[in-house]
Amino acid sequence: MKEELVRWGLPRASIYVLHDCPAPFFARTGSYQAADLFLRLKPDLLTLTASGDNEAPAGQTLANENAKIDQSGAEARRVADWIDALVEEVGGGEARGAGRPAVIVSSTSWTPDEDFSLLLDAAVQYEQWVETILSSKGRSAAAPSPARLLIIVTGKGPLRSEYERKISQLKMRHVTVRTLWLSFQDYAGLLGSADLGVCLHTSSSGLDLPMKVVDMFGCELPVCAVKYSTIHELVTERENGLLFETSEELRDCFLELFHDFPRSNLLLSSLQEGARKASLRRWEASWKSRALPVFRPRLPTPAQPSLEAAVVLEQT
């Protein structure tokens, strides 16, 4: 934006940049709070819910429940096992190997401005890769187990129902995609409990930055984001996130980050540390360091009492 304003003729020295910062409640979720969250969301995660105008946030009861999109009981049981393993681990229990899925969160307004097919196609390609690896004849029994992916997409919008129908037609064993509408508190809690955030935002102007990435970093969550001209102001490649342009590149991000999950992954650990550092930039400190020095010289000096007034005050 600064460079754009310079092109409009504003003097560079008079332009100061103050980036958005996350609200205080965007923070890493405690282990027991995360376990409680997934337990509350479990009924909504077992089946894909058709969206409706009267939809309440996940975990809350509706007078008239939304229709459930038909899916196999086997899938619901599989997802239930994943969530049980997830709850056990985040709640302080021992990891259960490949049974614990990697949790990936993306928020979207379900409009043409964000191409959700990038994420959906990457999920399908990841599934195909896992099936190929598992069926290969020369695969060693000691080889790392491919991670299972639980992809949770939050938000409401006009294209949500269309994509829910597409999701319901997918037959995947290693990837599950679910859509939820969450309260603000649960959304922050989910970001703080996840392993990776995905941002599909692209800017028609090329100038704006996605607030969702700011919120994800507030929760110390590394991000895979669509690459465009200014996104580098938020996401630093291989420091606090990864950038992609195609579904194949996003699939490769998943493969690189989760090839031996939940065992330690050097790149994922490094990105988590980068996101933790990014989370330290908050409004108060940013205002004091960036904005206050600009405004302070321009603030009026408090009026000093005149000598006569001082004498009167002294005499009374």
Side-chain angles (χ1 to χ4, degrees):
M1 176 60 76
K2 181 175 182 177
E3 297 304 318
E4 184 69 14
L5 293 175
V6 170
R7 282 194 287 271
W8 289 357
L10 275 70
R12 183 181 296 274
S14 67
I15 303 172
Y16 302 87
V17 178
L18 179 65
H19 287 100
D20 275 326
C21 296
F25 54 81
F26 284 105
R28 201 64 193 162
T29 306
S31 58
Y32 292 104
Q33 289 81 4
D36 175 73
L37 175 64
F38 284 116
L39 282 174
R40 286 192 292 105
L41 296 180
K42 182 176 179 180
D44 299 280
L45 293 171
L46 294 184
T47 55
L48 190 64
T49 303
S51 59
D53 292 338
N54 64 335
E55 187 174 355
Q60 298 183 16
T61 303
L62 281 172
N64 297 311
E65 278 200 7
N66 294 311
K68 300 289 184 179
I69 294 178
D70 289 336
Q71 291 180 299
S72 68
E75 180 179 8
R77 289 191 295 273
R78 181 175 68 250
V79 175
D81 289 341
W82 290 11
I83 296 172
D84 289 343
L86 181 65
V87 168
E88 181 178 347
E89 182 175 334
V90 301
E94 294 183 1
R96 290 171 52 181
R100 186 267 210 240
V103 179
I104 299 173
V105 177
S106 181
S107 61
T108 178
S109 56
W110 298 103
T111 64
D113 294 334
E114 296 185 343
D115 187 1
F116 182 72
S117 63
L118 283 172
L119 178 55
L120 199 57
D121 290 347
V124 172
Q125 293 163 18
Y126 180 90
E127 172 77 15
Q128 293 169 343
W129 179 87
V130 172
E131 289 289 353
T132 300
I133 292 298
L134 294 180
S135 61
S136 60
K137 295 181 180 179
R139 183 174 185 272
S140 168
S145 299
R148 296 176 167 108
L149 305 183
L150 175 59
I151 301 175
I152 302 174
V153 185
T154 69
K156 295 172 71 174
L159 297 180
R160 178 175 166 181
S161 295
E162 175 185 337
Y163 276 106
E164 284 174 332
R165 285 190 291 272
K166 292 180 180 181
I167 294 169
S168 69
Q169 295 167 2
L170 299 176
K171 305 299 180 184
M172 299 189 292
R173 296 189 303 140
H174 309 282
V175 181
T176 292
V177 182
R178 289 291 182 263
T179 60
L180 294 178
W181 172 243
L182 298 171
S183 68
F184 221 54
Q185 292 81 3
D186 282 349
Y187 173 63
L190 181 61
L191 292 185
S193 307
D195 301 296
L196 180 70
V198 172
C199 175
L200 302 172
H201 175 84
T202 56
S203 170
S204 57
S205 67
L207 299 176
D208 63 298
L209 298 172
M211 190 66 198
K212 66 187 74 180
V213 172
V214 176
D215 296 338
M216 290 173 179
F217 284 160
C219 294
E220 304 180 25
L221 184 63
V223 175
C224 288
V226 173
K227 185 177 182 178
Y228 66 95
S229 57
T230 57
I231 190 63
H232 64 275
E233 291 188 33
L234 270 183
V235 181
T236 304
E237 183 82 36
R238 306 187 81 81
E239 181 176 312
N240 52 28
L242 300 174
L243 301 177
F244 64 93
E245 296 181 89
T246 66
S247 59
E248 290 80 10
E249 290 178 355
L250 180 55
R251 174 207 59 197
D252 291 344
C253 291
F254 294 161
L255 294 176
E256 188 172 10
L257 293 172
F258 300 121
H259 70 275
D260 197 18
F261 188 84
R263 296 179 180 88
S264 178
N265 177 299
L266 290 179
L267 177 58
L268 181 59
S269 297
S270 176
L271 297 185
Q272 289 169 338
E273 175 61 18
R276 186 195 67 79
K277 291 178 180 178
S279 75
L280 300 177
R281 190 173 69 184
R282 299 288 172 157
W283 262 118
E284 184 175 0
S286 185
W287 173 267
K288 288 180 178 179
S289 64
R290 303 289 297 179
L292 188 57
V294 177
F295 286 104
R296 179 174 281 147
R298 295 164 174 80
L299 295 175
T301 303
Q304 297 296 325
S306 66
L307 180 60
E308 293 81 0
V311 172
V312 171
L313 290 173
E314 181 67 25
Q315 289 177 345
T316 57

Coordinates of all heavy atoms in Angstrom, one line a residue, residues 75 78 82 127 130-131 134-135 148-149 170-176:
E75 N -17.6 -44.3 7.4 CA -16.9 -43.0 7.4 C -17.1 -42.3 8.8 O -16.1 -41.8 9.4 CB -17.3 -42.1 6.3 CG -16.5 -40.7 6.4 CD -16.9 -39.8 5.3 OE1 -17.8 -40.0 4.5 OE2 -16.2 -38.7 5.2
R78 N -15.0 -44.1 11.3 CA -13.6 -43.7 11.1 C -13.3 -42.4 11.7 O -12.3 -42.2 12.4 CB -13.2 -43.8 9.6 CG -11.8 -43.5 9.4 CD -11.4 -43.7 7.9 NE -12.0 -42.7 7.1 CZ -13.0 -42.9 6.2 NH1 -13.5 -44.1 6.1 NH2 -13.5 -41.9 5.5
W82 N -10.8 -41.1 14.8 CA -9.8 -40.0 14.6 C -9.9 -39.0 15.8 O -9.0 -38.6 16.4 CB -10.0 -39.3 13.3 CG -9.6 -40.1 12.1 CD1 -9.3 -41.5 12.0 CD2 -9.5 -39.6 10.8 NE1 -9.1 -41.8 10.7 CE2 -9.1 -40.7 9.9 CE3 -9.7 -38.4 10.2 CZ2 -9.0 -40.5 8.6 CZ3 -9.5 -38.2 8.8 CH2 -9.1 -39.3 8.0
E127 N -5.0 -37.8 -1.1 CA -5.6 -39.1 -0.9 C -5.0 -40.1 -1.9 O -4.7 -41.3 -1.6 CB -7.1 -39.0 -1.0 CG -7.8 -40.4 -1.1 CD -7.9 -41.0 0.3 OE1 -7.7 -40.3 1.3 OE2 -8.3 -42.2 0.4
V130 N -1.4 -41.1 -1.1 CA -1.4 -42.1 0.1 C -1.8 -43.5 -0.4 O -1.1 -44.5 -0.1 CB -2.3 -41.6 1.2 CG1 -2.4 -42.7 2.3 CG2 -1.8 -40.3 1.8
E131 N -2.8 -43.6 -1.2 CA -3.2 -44.9 -1.7 C -2.1 -45.5 -2.5 O -1.9 -46.7 -2.5 CB -4.5 -44.8 -2.5 CG -5.8 -44.5 -1.7 CD -6.2 -45.7 -0.9 OE1 -5.6 -46.8 -1.0 OE2 -7.1 -45.5 0.0
L134 N 0.7 -46.7 -0.1 CA 0.3 -47.9 0.7 C 0.2 -49.2 -0.2 O 0.4 -50.3 0.3 CB -1.0 -47.6 1.4 CG -1.0 -46.5 2.5 CD1 -2.3 -46.4 3.1 CD2 0.1 -46.9 3.5
S135 N -0.1 -49.0 -1.5 CA -0.3 -50.2 -2.3 C 1.0 -50.6 -3.0 O 1.0 -51.6 -3.7 CB -1.4 -49.9 -3.3 OG -1.0 -48.8 -4.2
R148 N -3.1 -38.9 8.4 CA -4.5 -38.7 8.1 C -4.8 -37.2 8.2 O -4.2 -36.6 9.2 CB -5.4 -39.5 9.0 CG -5.2 -41.0 8.8 CD -6.0 -41.8 9.8 NE -6.0 -43.2 9.4 CZ -5.4 -44.2 10.0 NH1 -4.6 -43.9 11.0 NH2 -5.5 -45.4 9.6
L149 N -5.6 -36.6 7.4 CA -5.9 -35.2 7.4 C -7.4 -35.0 7.8 O -8.2 -35.5 7.1 CB -5.6 -34.5 6.1 CG -4.1 -34.7 5.5 CD1 -4.0 -33.9 4.2 CD2 -3.1 -34.3 6.5
L170 N -17.2 -37.5 -2.5 CA -15.8 -38.0 -2.5 C -15.7 -39.3 -1.6 O -16.4 -39.4 -0.6 CB -14.9 -36.9 -1.9 CG -14.8 -35.6 -2.7 CD1 -13.9 -34.6 -1.9 CD2 -14.2 -35.9 -4.1
K171 N -14.9 -40.2 -2.1 CA -14.7 -41.4 -1.3 C -13.2 -41.5 -0.9 O -12.3 -41.9 -1.7 CB -15.0 -42.7 -2.2 CG -16.4 -42.6 -2.8 CD -17.5 -42.6 -1.7 CE -18.9 -42.6 -2.3 NZ -19.9 -42.5 -1.2
M172 N -12.9 -41.0 0.3 CA -11.6 -40.9 0.7 C -11.5 -41.6 2.1 O -12.3 -41.4 2.9 CB -11.1 -39.4 0.8 CG -11.1 -38.7 -0.5 SD -10.3 -37.0 -0.4 CE -11.5 -36.1 0.6
R173 N -10.4 -42.3 2.3 CA -10.1 -43.0 3.6 C -9.1 -42.3 4.5 O -9.1 -42.5 5.7 CB -9.6 -44.4 3.3 CG -10.6 -45.3 2.6 CD -10.1 -46.8 2.6 NE -8.8 -46.9 2.0 CZ -7.9 -47.7 2.4 NH1 -8.1 -48.4 3.5 NH2 -6.7 -47.7 1.8
H174 N -8.3 -41.4 3.9 CA -7.2 -40.8 4.6 C -7.4 -39.3 4.8 O -6.6 -38.7 5.5 CB -5.9 -41.1 3.9 CG -5.7 -42.6 3.6 ND1 -5.3 -43.5 4.5 CD2 -5.9 -43.3 2.4 CE1 -5.2 -44.7 4.0 NE2 -5.6 -44.6 2.7
V175 N -8.4 -38.8 4.2 CA -8.7 -37.4 4.3 C -10.2 -37.2 4.5 O -11.0 -37.8 3.9 CB -8.3 -36.6 3.0 CG1 -8.6 -35.1 3.2 CG2 -6.8 -36.8 2.6
T176 N -10.5 -36.4 5.5 CA -11.9 -36.0 5.8 C -12.1 -34.5 5.7 O -11.3 -33.8 6.4 CB -12.4 -36.6 7.1 OG1 -12.5 -38.0 7.0 CG2 -13.8 -36.1 7.4

